[in-house]
């Protein structure tokens, strides 16, 4: 079976498809060494319930429904990926009727300013993985180890060529808009997000900041407690 490049925002598309640019056509291609660019901004402490109606009023199209995610971050023993702001992630996603897994590599690009605030820019390659445990073993044999991880509930929409992800994490609720800089500026204003605090940091970095602000020691895993996880999974129609 062919490995294919994915855009991790194109949930509603068939295997191997991705969106290119703002509203570009979707197509399938084999995995190759060049990367697609990811431009996004995070809006902090915005809940799904607060934003969903505004997104749908602007014509947002649901992309597969809310689902549960588990993410594992990898690095070598020297920490060379973290030190150079690169990311290697194994992500599993679960819906009531299906599940999948994706391996992602990201590397930094210079940030772009939108409205005087930075927008995160990354190069990205992502492939589908049929055997998550097997891939984890391969990564270990290659010298990579799990250095952190996080869980979240994600609900995604496509709106006018932009991808909107509404996430619930153990430390709070965050919204991401992925699009070109001009489209991000346009949508954040239309959705009333232009006054919200924003961040260009990863979820794991935000989690470490959240811990530090509360005088707590750094932890490698940002996961829901057992009771909360069970309730969230039940609300999504998943086994506890």
């Amino acid at each position: 079976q062919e490995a294919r490049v994915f855009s991790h925002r194109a949930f509603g598309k068939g295997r191997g498809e991705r969106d290119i640019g703002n509203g570009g056509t979707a197509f399938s291609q084999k995995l190759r060494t060049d990367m697609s660019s990811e431009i996004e901004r995070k809006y902090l402490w915005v809940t799904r319930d607060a934003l969903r109606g505004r997104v749908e009023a602007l014509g947002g199209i649901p992309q597969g429904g809310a689902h549960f995610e588990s993410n594992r971050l990898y690095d070598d023993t020297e920490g060379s990926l973290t030190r150079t702001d690169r990311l290697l992630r194994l992500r599993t996603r679960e819906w009531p009727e299906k599940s999948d897994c994706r391996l992602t590599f990201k590397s930094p690009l210079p940030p772009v300013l939108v409205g005087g605030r930075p927008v995160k820019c990354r190069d990205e390659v992502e492939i589908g993985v049929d055997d998550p445990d097997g891939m984890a073993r391969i990564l270990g044999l290659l010298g990579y180890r799990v250095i952190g991880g996080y869980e979240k509930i994600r609900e995604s929409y496509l709106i006018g060529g932009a991808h909107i992800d509404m996430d619930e994490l153990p430390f709070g609720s965050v919204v991401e808009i992925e699009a070109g800089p001009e489209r991000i500026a346009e949508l954040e204003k239309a959705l009333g997000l232009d006054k919200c605090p924003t961040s260009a940091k990863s979820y794991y970095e935000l989690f470490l900041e959240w811990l530090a602000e509360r005088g707590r020691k750094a932890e490698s895993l940002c996961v829901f407690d057992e009771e909360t996880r069970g309730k969230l999974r039940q609300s999504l129609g998943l086994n506890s």
Side-chain angles (χ1 to χ4, degrees), residues 45-66:
W45 326 136
V46 181
T47 66
R48 290 190 294 148
D49 290 342
L51 193 65
R52 186 184 298 109
R54 282 178 268 170
V55 172
E56 293 179 347
L58 289 177
I61 302 171
Q63 300 293 290

Side-chain angles (χ1 to χ4, degrees), residues 29-60:
Q29 64 179 29
K30 294 180 181 179
L31 177 64
R32 57 187 189 181
T33 55
D34 62 333
M35 299 183 179
S36 62
S37 295
E38 174 191 64
I39 304 173
E40 69 175 28
R41 171 174 278 170
K42 289 182 173 70
Y43 304 84
L44 307 181
W45 326 136
V46 181
T47 66
R48 290 190 294 148
D49 290 342
L51 193 65
R52 186 184 298 109
R54 282 178 268 170
V55 172
E56 293 179 347
L58 289 177

